[in-house]
């Protein structure tokens, strides 16, 4: 199944927001989403949450014959699996471009940077070495799979313990964890990949793109670094043109992010170690937030409701008039409330509303017509429309005026009406 | 790598080059009659053959059609006899798929694809002999082939790899040097825009700038050679047309 394409409106909206230095989830341009690292019950199992992106890494090992070219080095094997569970766009079986890209980047990031001492994985030179296999499964795709996968993989490798082996003559004995304590891998440094996405031909740059942003981006730059500020791999993708300065800037940002994430990983590893030592419970089940109902009945809370009407009226009377500083809008014809004509919004509304309106304005200038329709309906019905907005606490009463009367009404009543009509469709 | 002195005290490399010296680049355009564009390029001991077909109607699955620009299809392969060890190279292994992807990405950035909506451009590259810098040689050969096919590009795409040994950037790596560290850059030299950047090495951040600078200079050197080849080829073609 192919992913549902993004509509032009959505695309424009996201790009516009990025131009205004805003992001859908309220982050700043260089902010990462929240990273949460949890461990499974076994050694070498790690879950990483990056916002809503969730990946799992599992490390396993087995004794194999070494490669002929490197008889005294262990073998590292990395595999990223894009399971259809993570996103409808991922297909089972077939090697997609994305999967090749991710796999190669992970290999480059962890194998080519020689972050693991492969020589210590040799048991009998030329005959038996450990093969360490890292399987990363995508559980939920909300963008930036690479960063999540690289954090998960390196954390799982740090967490992993391989069984101890003993050699007597030609015989190799693998001890179970009960007999001898398993041994951690020796890890020299921890490379972590940081993704930067570029928009509008490289004019705008975002760190840690979410899935929506990934869909509208022009290109991606992935930089893998360790906390010693050593770059382990760089890879640009997507048809963008980069300038040298941009790359240099990205590498500086990456250095900061990597040191933060490395600290987080070591903290998570430490926490897990103390939890395990204390014999506390750990593992996947523990990492899930507990949201269970423990009782079947709730206590009733009594509420005084007899004087609600009076109190509500009281509040309404006490409430001040709407701010007088609002500039009067242009009214081309009586009874026509205008909201979006492509100009700056001048309604004295809350800031939150304003933002929405701005976007409306720019997206489709033709909206005036649609906005006025509900008002006409109101007139026809002649109802009293009460809008009790919890934020503003004002009541606007619309009487059934004819358009002739409306002419006499001052501009502020126009305002109110327009405001009412405008707010209505939002409810 | 132990025991291998990549840069001598006198500042010479394994094959006698200076640190910033490129290998000898030799190229020919229009080597095949059947293809729309073709080129053969040697860079030192690395040789590549590039063939371009298109722009033509979409073939195969029509679902890949792009309504606003041409789709670029790249295929990279290595001849069985290209390396020291004779090896059967299956199609679609990770490395060659990745290389095809990178070539595609490079040429998507360079070719003015928006001129040919709903069509397809095929670029096939084969490495005949491999001695380091496969990606760069492929890009350089493919650039010539695309030019030979008469497909408009923003600029030449020139690629070069650089390494970092003993605090010195080395340009245009051969196989032995490549195993230590390598940064490949595909550059559009006129604007100094990087179409692809790839690095496989541990390198301190402070050295990155020097290395990129060296890579860009090397790419500009390559672009001069390519430009000469194109001009030479055009002159020959013009002469042939005037007096048949």
């Amino acid at each position: 199944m192919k992913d549902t394409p993004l509509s032009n409106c959505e695309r424009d909206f996201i790009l516009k927001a990025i131009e205004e230095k805003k992001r859908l989830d309220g982050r700043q341009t260089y902010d990462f989403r929240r990273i949460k690292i949890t461990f499974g019950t076994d050694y070498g199992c790690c879950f990483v949450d990056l916002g809503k992106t969730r990946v799992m890494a599992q490390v396993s090992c087995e004794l194999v014959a070494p490669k002929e070219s490197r008889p005294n080095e262990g073998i590292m094997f990395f595999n990223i699996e894009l399971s259809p569970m993570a996103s409808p766009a991922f297909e089972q079986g077939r090697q997609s471009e994305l999967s090749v890209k991710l796999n190669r980047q992970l290999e480059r990031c962890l194998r080519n940077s020689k972050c693991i001492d492969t020589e210590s994985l040799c048991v009998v030179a030329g005959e038996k070495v450990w093969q360490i296999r890292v399987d990363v499964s995508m559980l939920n795709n909300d963008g930036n799979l690479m960063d999540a996968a690289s954090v998960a993989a390196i954390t799982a490798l740090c967490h992993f313990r391989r069984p101890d082996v003993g050699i007597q003559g030609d015989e190799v004995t693998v001890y179970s964890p009960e007999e001898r304590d398993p041994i951690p891998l020796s890890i020299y440094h921890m490379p972590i990949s940081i993704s930067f996405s570029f928009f509008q031909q490289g004019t705008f740059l975002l760190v840690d793109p979410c899935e929506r942003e990934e869909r509208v981006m022009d290109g991606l730059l992935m930089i893998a670094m360790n906390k010693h500020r050593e770059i382990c791999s760089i890879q640009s993708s997507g048809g963008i043109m980069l300038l040298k300065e941009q790359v240099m800037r990205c590498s500086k940002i990456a250095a900061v992010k990597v040191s933060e994430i490395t600290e987080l990983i070591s903290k998570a590893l430490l926490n897990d170690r103390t939890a395990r030592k204390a014999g506390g419970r750990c593992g996947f089940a523990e990492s899930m937030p507990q949201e269970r109902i423990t009782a079947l009945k709730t206590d009733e809370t009594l509420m005084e409701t007899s004087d609600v009407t009076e109190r509500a009226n009281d509040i309404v009377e006490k409430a001040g008039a709407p701010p007088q500083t609002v500039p009067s809008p242009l009214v081309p014809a009586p009874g026509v409330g205008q909201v979006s004509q492509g100009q700056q919004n001048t309604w004295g509304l809350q800031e939150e509303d304003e933002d929405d309106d701005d976007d409306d304005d720019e997206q489709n200038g033709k909206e005036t017509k649609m906005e006025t329709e509900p008002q006409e309906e109101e007139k026809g019905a002649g109802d009293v429309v009460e809008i009790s907005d919890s934020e503003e606490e004002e009541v606007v009463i619309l009487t059934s005026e004819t358009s002739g009367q409306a002419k006499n009404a001052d501009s502020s009543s126009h305002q109110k009406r327009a405001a009412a009509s405008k707010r209505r469709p939002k409810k | 790598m132990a025991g291998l002195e990549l840069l001598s005290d006198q500042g010479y490399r394994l094959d006698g080059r200076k640190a910033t010296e490129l290998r000898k680049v030799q190229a020919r355009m229009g080597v095949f009659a059947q293809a729309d564009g073709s080129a053969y390029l040697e860079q030192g001991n690395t040789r590549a053959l590039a063939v371009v077909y298109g722009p033509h109607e979409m073939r195969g699955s029509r679902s890949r059609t792009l309504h606003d620009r041409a789709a670029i299809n790249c295929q990279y392969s290595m001849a069985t006899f290209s390396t020291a060890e004779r090896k059967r190279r299956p199609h679609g292994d990770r490395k060659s798929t990745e290389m095809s992807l990178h070539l595609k990405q490079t040429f998507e950035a360079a070719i003015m694809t928006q001129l040919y909506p709903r069509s397809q451009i095929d670029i096939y590259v084969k490495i005949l002999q491999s001695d380091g810098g496969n990606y760069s040689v492929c890009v350089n050969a493919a650039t010539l082939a695309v030019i030979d096919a008469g497909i408009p590009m923003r600029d030449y795409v020139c690629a070069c790899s650089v390494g970092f040994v003993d605090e010195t950037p080395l340009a245009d790596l051969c196989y032995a040097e490549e195993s230590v560290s390598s940064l490949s850059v595909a550059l559009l030299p006129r604007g100094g825009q990087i179409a692809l950047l790839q690095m496989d090495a541990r390198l301190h951040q402070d050295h990155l700038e020097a290395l990129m600078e060296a890579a860009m200079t090397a790419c500009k050197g390559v672009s001069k050679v390519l430009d000469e080849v194109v001009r030479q080829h055009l002159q020959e073609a013009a002469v042939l047309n005037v007096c048949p």
Side-chain angles (χ1 to χ4, degrees):
Chain A
M1 191 181 125
K2 243 189 168 176
D3 226 353
T4 16
L6 217 56
S7 70
N8 283 345
C9 285
E10 272 177 297
R11 184 178 295 271
D12 293 344
F13 174 72
I14 295 169
L15 286 175
K16 189 89 195 164
I18 290 165
E19 262 172 53
E20 291 175 8
K21 305 248 181 289
K22 283 176 187 140
R23 295 176 78 168
L24 293 178
D25 40 14
R27 278 183 289 158
Q28 293 295 311
T29 332
Y30 299 150
D31 280 359
F32 246 82
R33 285 172 285 179
R34 211 170 64 89
I35 302 178
K36 191 176 147 206
I37 301 171
T38 43
F39 296 96
T41 4
D42 268 353
Y43 280 120
C45 179
C46 166
F47 295 84
V48 169
D49 288 271
L50 180 64
K52 279 184 190 140
T53 299
R54 188 172 170 86
V55 303
M56 184 193 87
Q58 173 72 57
V59 183
S60 51
C61 65
E62 61 175 327
L63 281 172
V64 293
K67 286 183 182 163
E68 275 174 39
S69 50
R70 287 150 200 260
N72 51 2
E73 282 181 30
I75 300 170
M76 301 295 303
F77 183 82
F78 298 93
N79 184 40
I80 293 186
E81 183 147 324
L82 301 176
S83 84
M85 175 202 258
S87 158
F90 298 160
E91 276 176 58
Q92 189 87 56
R94 220 167 49 84
Q95 277 250 327
S96 64
E97 281 186 8
L98 179 69
S99 118
V100 171
K101 213 169 76 179
L102 292 177
N103 270 307
R104 286 289 297 151
Q105 175 65 10
L106 190 70
E107 272 180 21
R108 261 205 293 272
C109 174
L110 296 178
R111 187 201 284 150
N112 297 8
S113 68
K114 301 192 177 67
C115 65
I116 288 156
D117 179 15
T118 44
E119 283 179 18
S120 72
L121 295 173
C122 176
V123 181
V124 182
E127 279 174 38
K128 273 196 166 57
V129 294
W130 285 109
Q131 183 189 44
I132 306 290
R133 190 189 160 96
V134 185
D135 282 287
V136 184
S137 307
M138 301 298 167
L139 303 179
N140 191 30
N141 175 19
D142 190 31
N144 206 359
L145 291 174
M146 190 56 230
D147 294 10
S150 88
V151 172
I154 192 69
T155 316
L157 281 169
C158 289
H159 190 242
F160 181 67
R161 305 280 186 274
R162 67 172 170 86
D164 198 2
V165 285
I167 306 163
Q168 273 114 25
D170 289 344
E171 218 168 280
V172 177
T173 339
V174 179
Y175 295 104
S176 68
E178 288 79 27
E179 288 171 299
R180 279 199 200 175
D181 277 343
I183 305 167
L185 303 173
S186 59
I187 290 169
Y188 294 134
H189 61 107
M190 287 162 68
I192 290 159
S193 165
I194 306 287
S195 301
F196 300 88
S197 52
F198 291 88
F199 300 86
Q200 311 271 352
Q201 293 309 313
T203 328
F204 298 99
L205 170 109
L206 292 185
V207 175
D208 182 23
C210 70
E211 198 250 352
R212 286 286 162 100
E213 289 162 345
E214 272 187 356
R215 286 216 215 169
V216 298
M217 75 185 171
D218 293 329
L220 193 71
L221 178 73
M222 295 184 276
I223 300 184
M225 259 182 143
N226 61 23
K227 67 171 177 191
H228 313 299
R229 296 208 300 133
E230 281 172 326
I231 299 170
C232 300
S233 106
I234 299 182
Q235 178 67 56
S236 73
S237 62
I240 41 156
M241 314 277 207
L242 291 171
L243 295 173
K244 203 183 94 199
E245 294 73 44
Q246 287 172 319
V247 179
M248 297 309 297
R249 200 169 86 201
C250 288
S251 79
K252 288 201 180 87
I253 299 166
V256 179
K257 295 290 166 202
V258 163
S259 67
E260 283 171 19
I261 294 173
T262 313
E263 203 152 291
L264 190 80
I265 292 177
S266 26
K267 209 180 279 171
L269 284 166
L270 189 74
N271 281 350
D272 181 71
R273 204 175 308 140
T274 42
R276 267 170 216 271
K277 205 172 269 175
R281 289 192 299 178
C282 46
F284 182 52
E286 287 309 299
S287 76
M288 298 300 283
Q290 287 191 345
E291 283 170 10
R292 52 186 171 195
I293 300 167
T294 49
L296 287 173
K297 64 171 191 176
T298 52
D299 293 328
E300 274 181 33
T301 323
L302 288 173
M303 265 180 75
E304 179 63 50
T305 52
S306 54
D307 62 338
V308 168
T309 334
E310 284 99 83
R311 279 175 62 187
N313 283 339
D314 219 32
I315 292 167
V316 170
E317 273 159 32
K318 275 182 199 160
Q324 294 298 316
T325 50
V326 180
S328 57
L330 286 168
V331 183
V336 178
Q338 272 198 328
V339 179
S340 33
Q341 278 272 298
Q343 305 155 310
Q344 176 98 49
N345 188 3
T346 48
W347 300 102
L349 295 173
Q350 300 236 321
E351 211 175 40
E352 198 184 3
D353 288 352
E354 257 172 31
D355 287 348
D356 293 347
D357 294 338
D358 279 353
D359 290 318
D360 286 349
D361 286 353
E362 275 128 23
Q363 302 269 324
N364 21 5
K366 281 187 260 169
E367 218 167 21
T368 333
K369 209 175 168 193
M370 282 169 57
E371 300 261 20
T372 49
E373 272 170 13
Q375 195 193 2
E376 278 159 21
E377 275 173 27
E378 277 163 31
K379 269 195 223 160
D383 284 341
V384 175
V385 181
E386 282 195 21
I387 289 167
S388 57
D389 196 332
S390 59
E391 290 165 32
E392 287 199 4
E393 285 183 346
E394 64 168 337
V395 172
V396 182
I397 298 173
L398 292 177
T399 49
S400 59
E401 290 171 320
T402 61
S403 55
Q405 282 169 314
K407 230 175 245 174
N408 306 335
D410 60 7
S411 64
S412 77
S413 97
H414 280 299
Q415 277 173 31
K416 277 185 192 168
R417 238 181 317 135
S421 71
K422 191 168 75 69
R423 206 169 293 162
R424 202 170 188 202
K426 281 189 186 164
K427 298 263 135 115
Chain B
M1 204 183 258
L4 204 60
E5 193 186 40
L6 292 175
L7 193 66
S8 72
D9 298 334
Q10 288 76 35
Y12 287 103
R13 288 154 68 176
L14 290 174
D15 45 9
R17 282 184 287 160
K18 282 270 175 64
T20 54
E21 205 177 327
L22 300 178
R23 290 179 287 182
K24 187 179 184 186
V25 179
Q26 279 183 307
R28 266 177 60 199
M29 289 166 75
V31 285
F32 296 130
Q34 181 64 38
D36 292 316
S38 57
Y40 168 77
L41 188 127
E42 287 182 22
Q43 197 162 339
N45 284 327
T46 307
R47 286 138 206 243
L49 206 51
V51 172
V52 172
Y53 287 94
H56 56 73
E57 203 182 334
M58 286 300 285
R59 281 185 205 142
S61 68
R62 282 179 185 275
S63 59
R64 287 182 299 127
T65 311
L66 302 169
H67 66 95
D68 56 343
R69 61 198 155 95
I72 290 180
N73 172 33
C74 280
Q75 249 175 44
Y76 164 86
S77 56
M78 279 176 91
T80 36
F81 48 82
S82 60
T83 45
E85 187 187 349
R86 196 180 171 88
K87 208 168 166 187
R88 183 92 204 99
R89 293 180 187 276
H91 252 290
D93 60 324
R94 263 189 203 168
K95 269 189 185 156
S96 69
T97 319
E98 194 202 23
M99 192 70 105
S100 307
L101 255 173
H102 287 162
L103 286 173
K104 178 180 164 191
Q105 182 194 325
T106 314
F107 283 95
E108 265 173 1
I111 293 177
M112 304 182 81
T113 46
Q114 73 279 9
L115 296 177
Y116 306 104
R118 284 183 275 276
S119 39
Q120 178 183 346
I121 297 168
D122 294 317
I123 302 174
Y124 302 116
V125 196
K126 192 161 191 113
I127 289 281
L128 298 179
Q129 184 173 319
S130 159
D131 183 33
N134 286 358
Y135 168 75
S136 333
V137 176
C138 283
V139 169
N140 296 337
T143 306
L144 292 181
V146 171
I147 292 171
D148 189 38
I151 298 170
M153 288 207 286
R154 295 193 170 81
D155 197 355
Y156 290 95
V157 214
C158 307
C160 202
S161 54
V162 283
F164 199 72
V165 175
D166 298 338
E167 311 281 306
T168 324
L170 305 183
D172 197 8
L173 307 175
C174 67
Y175 182 73
E177 293 164 334
E178 203 176 42
S179 52
V180 181
S181 67
S182 146
L183 169 87
S184 298
V185 171
L187 187 78
L188 281 80
R190 215 156 297 172
Q193 295 154 313
I194 299 165
L196 186 120
L197 177 69
Q198 181 188 348
M199 193 173 79
D200 276 349
R202 246 171 96 188
L203 176 87
H204 197 271
Q205 197 193 0
D206 299 343
H207 301 313
L208 181 65
E209 190 155 14
L211 199 58
M212 279 183 66
E213 197 56 62
M216 287 166 88
T217 323
C219 286
K220 281 176 188 155
V222 172
S223 99
K224 266 187 208 146
V225 180
L226 296 189
D227 192 58
E228 222 156 84
V229 170
V230 172
R231 278 170 205 282
Q232 182 81 35
H233 175 74
L234 282 178
Q235 245 165 20
E236 280 166 20
V239 168
L240 285 177
N241 278 340
V242 169
C243 41

